[in-house]
Amino acid sequence: MSSIEDLQEQIHELQSKLAFQEDTIEHLNKMVTKQDDIIRMLERRFMHLGDKIDDIRSQLPDKPFNPADEIPPHY
């Protein structure tokens, strides 16, 4: 094989690798963007649940909950 053919083969191999890497980068970028959207949604839901917990706590009596005072449901 001549050196020109070797160079052409190497160029073709590099082009194939570059195309694969570009595809992989695009796929990973879409995945990261989707995960970022999910994280932001979960953060909003977490904050909303925190607000609900605070509302419930504000409605509870001042006496702390003591599990020993509770009767188990099977009695």
Side-chain angles (χ1 to χ4, degrees):
M1 203 181 277
S2 72
S3 63
I4 291 178
E5 290 173 346
D6 288 339
L7 289 174
Q8 287 176 336
E9 185 177 325
Q10 289 175 355
I11 289 172
H12 179 69
E13 186 178 326
L14 289 171
Q15 288 173 332
S16 295
K17 287 181 180 182
L18 177 63
F20 178 75
Q21 287 177 350
E22 287 175 342
D23 183 58
T24 301
I25 289 169
E26 181 64 28
H27 176 72
L28 291 172
N29 185 48
K30 287 179 182 178
M31 188 180 297
V32 168
T33 302
K34 184 178 179 180
Q35 288 176 345
D36 183 59
D37 292 342
I38 291 170
I39 289 170
R40 289 176 189 270
M41 183 265 309
L42 290 172
E43 285 175 336
R44 285 191 303 272
R45 291 178 80 179
F46 181 75
M47 294 299 292
H48 181 69
L49 286 173
D51 292 342
K52 281 187 171 185
I53 289 171
D54 290 342
D55 289 344
I56 291 171
R57 280 187 183 152
S58 69
Q59 296 173 7
L60 291 175
D62 292 335
K63 179 183 171 191
F65 175 72
N66 185 356
D69 294 339
E70 294 294 313
I71 298 174
H74 58 279
Y75 283 109

